[in-house]
Amino acid sequence: MKDYTCLLEELKINGNFRQFPEVTHSGKWIEKEGHRMLNLSSNDYLGLATRQDLRATFMEQLADTDLPFSSSSSRLLTGNFAIYKDLEKLISERFGRESALLFNSGYHANTGILPALADKQTLIIADKLVHASIIDGILLSGAPFTRYKHNDYEQLERLLAKASGQYEQVIIVTESVFSMDGDVADLPHLVALKKKYKDTLLYVDEAHAIGVYGSDGLGIAEEQHCIGDIDLLVGTFGKALASMGAYLLCSRVIRDYLINTMRPLIFSTALPPVQIAWSRFLFEKLPDFSSERRQLFRKSRKLSEKLNGKGGEISNSHIIPFIIGENEACIQKALELQRKGFYCLPVRPPTVPKGTSRIRFSLTANITDEEINELIMLL
Ligand SMILES: *Cc1c(COP(=O)(O)O)cnc(C)c1O
């Protein structure tokens, strides 16, 4: 028998033991053991999850509908409510793409799409720093795969050239805003590469960018003017969009194929229609949040400039790493900032490479200038 107690002890010795934090929330604040802190670890980038006004308006509208709190089934059986199609139509129109498909979460999307589309004749080439859910999707697909150094498009091109003619197709996989470094992919460069090497598809995960970038909040693909050129454009509702679920923009053919083959879509109960209605309510309003986007960007630049040389210079977004190095020092620094009223968390291996343990600041639009200044003073 495996000795799990002993394995847990090992995690503790290495400073890698994890527990659910016991916290309570009130708006942008988080409370732990009676101590109130500004939440600097949230993905509620636009501050929408804490907006009582939006919630009140939504609840009023909801009262006039008979949308249930459960779909009671997969969409392929009896769970296909009209609201799913409404949201897919809204999303595909906004992006100006042929079709959209909804999923229960980003994790479902990333562990389902690649296994459905890729097989032994498909080579997957992914950025070294893609999210764990993408890695799981790649492994589940059973397809041959390789990774290029983070944002190193010269190495990517060498891999593409080498693969040319060897496979039925190649899928390049990247995030747009990277979750641990907060830097941003050059999507037009990736589009140019995928066009240069035929039978190549581009898969982009915008989990941290949807809502936050682009003049209508449609993400880095909007900001970098290449929405129409990304074959598989994924985004999630759980972060800036203050809801739950994920979407894919793709061709009609790919959409139909996924409905027929994608296991997390077929074998899981669809999200509650009420939840989809809330996603739709907020997605529809995305263009209205440009002042939140501007605020967030301005404050992010302020903090990243302050952390120049300590990790801040890597970031080009609202996610800003403060790299400390060793686990224990990183934990101590995070605890110190928490004592001083800033709820930030240490990120350790295996989430980030060994020796790069860091505090990951994740800013939201409702943090004030005074609060940012106070944080900067402490750093
Ligand atoms: C958060 C995240 C996901 C997972 O999305 P969920 O909806 O939380 O399951 C997927 N990809 C990336 C890049 C993420 O940051």
Side-chain angles (χ1 to χ4, degrees):
M1 274 262 285
K2 261 181 136 22
D3 186 347
Y4 294 107
T5 310
C6 178
L7 292 169
L8 284 170
E9 280 310 317
E10 250 169 60
L11 288 177
K12 284 178 189 165
I13 290 165
N14 295 325
N16 282 329
F17 184 70
R18 292 157 194 248
Q19 279 171 296
F20 292 137
E22 301 271 344
V23 294
T24 55
H25 301 83
S26 90
K28 64 181 180 180
W29 306 95
I30 202 158
E31 215 171 278
K32 198 175 172 185
E33 291 154 12
H35 178 52
R36 200 170 89 134
M37 296 168 279
L38 183 67
N39 190 351
L40 294 177
S41 301
S42 164
N43 298 322
D44 181 24
Y45 304 132
L46 298 176
L48 303 184
T50 59
R51 287 270 300 267
Q52 294 299 332
D53 57 330
L54 293 172
R55 237 165 84 154
T57 311
F58 173 72
M59 293 307 264
E60 245 169 64
Q61 290 179 12
L62 188 68
D64 296 331
T65 73
D66 55 2
L67 289 171
F69 285 87
S70 173
S71 69
S72 305
S73 169
S74 159
R75 283 179 76 187
L76 279 119
L77 300 172
T78 65
N80 193 32
F81 290 76
I83 188 83
Y84 299 111
K85 229 175 133 189
D86 285 353
L87 179 54
E88 286 172 345
K89 184 160 174 285
L90 172 68
I91 292 176
S92 61
E93 283 173 4
R94 275 284 167 80
F95 280 88
R97 291 288 302 260
E98 197 169 81
S99 52
L101 183 59
L102 297 175
F103 311 106
N104 290 357
S105 73
Y107 192 84
H108 282 75
N110 285 334
T111 53
I113 296 168
L114 285 171
L117 299 182
D119 58 13
K120 294 266 180 281
Q121 279 74 53
T122 301
L123 176 68
I124 298 172
I125 310 184
D127 188 287
K128 191 82 205 302
L129 293 189
V130 292
H131 191 259
S133 58
I134 297 176
I135 301 293
D136 290 357
I138 293 172
L139 294 176
L140 273 172
S141 77
F145 77 97
T146 177
R147 297 205 275 170
Y148 55 96
K149 279 209 294 292
H150 179 50
N151 281 346
D152 183 342
Y153 301 146
E154 281 172 25
Q155 190 193 6
L156 169 60
E157 178 151 19
R158 285 196 296 277
L159 292 169
L160 286 168
K162 201 170 116 199
S164 180
Q166 308 288 308
Y167 298 88
E168 204 171 16
Q169 61 177 358
V170 174
I171 306 180
I172 302 170
V173 187
T174 186
E175 280 167 45
S176 59
V177 172
F178 281 85
S179 51
M180 288 302 140
D181 284 5
D183 55 349
V184 178
D186 180 350
L187 299 181
H189 195 151
L190 291 171
V191 167
L193 285 177
K194 81 118 196 165
K195 285 182 175 168
K196 182 170 171 189
Y197 294 89
K198 71 176 171 58
D199 305 320
T200 302
L201 301 175
L202 178 58
Y203 182 126
V204 177
D205 180 342
E206 294 244 54
H208 293 284
I210 181 66
V212 183
Y213 295 93
S215 50
D216 281 343
L218 299 179
I220 296 293
E222 183 192 11
E223 186 160 294
Q224 298 184 350
H225 308 290
C226 56
I227 287 175
D229 290 315
I230 297 164
D231 305 279
L232 303 155
L233 183 56
V234 174
T236 67
F237 292 101
K239 292 174 174 136
L241 275 157
S243 182
M244 182 73 207
Y247 61 83
L248 167 71
L249 291 147
C250 59
S251 68
R252 193 169 296 125
V253 171
I254 297 268
R255 182 178 187 274
D256 287 345
Y257 191 73
L258 290 174
I259 291 170
N260 282 274
T261 55
M262 182 173 153
R263 297 173 68 88
L265 179 68
I266 299 171
F267 297 108
S268 185
T269 301
L271 284 182
V274 165
Q275 191 71 41
I276 301 291
W278 171 243
S279 297
R280 189 185 187 289
F281 176 81
L282 292 178
F283 187 87
E284 192 166 34
K285 295 188 188 320
L286 265 190
D288 304 341
F289 301 124
S290 41
S291 93
E292 281 83 352
R293 286 188 277 277
R294 267 196 313 276
Q295 288 287 329
L296 180 59
F297 199 73
R298 195 172 55 72
K299 286 162 199 161
S300 305
R301 293 280 56 80
K302 210 170 178 180
L303 181 60
S304 64
E305 276 160 26
K306 177 65 196 178
L307 289 173
N308 193 11
K310 297 172 187 161
E313 75 286 357
I314 301 168
S315 164
N316 196 22
S317 70
H318 53 293
I319 296 170
I320 302 162
F322 173 22
I323 297 175
I324 292 174
E326 292 313 312
N327 281 353
E328 198 46 42
C330 185
I331 293 168
Q332 288 313 321
K333 186 71 191 173
L335 288 174
E336 181 198 328
L337 288 167
Q338 289 180 21
R339 275 194 303 275
K340 293 179 173 159
F342 294 96
Y343 190 63
C344 49
L345 296 173
V347 184
R348 291 159 280 170
T351 311
V352 294
K354 256 200 162 78
T356 71
S357 285
R358 66 195 65 187
I359 292 172
R360 172 182 178 272
F361 294 111
S362 155
L363 301 188
T364 58
N366 52 10
I367 294 174
T368 64
D369 281 308
E370 294 74 60
E371 287 158 348
I372 283 287
N373 291 341
E374 200 189 325
L375 174 68
I376 285 174
M377 297 275 284
L378 287 174
L379 298 171

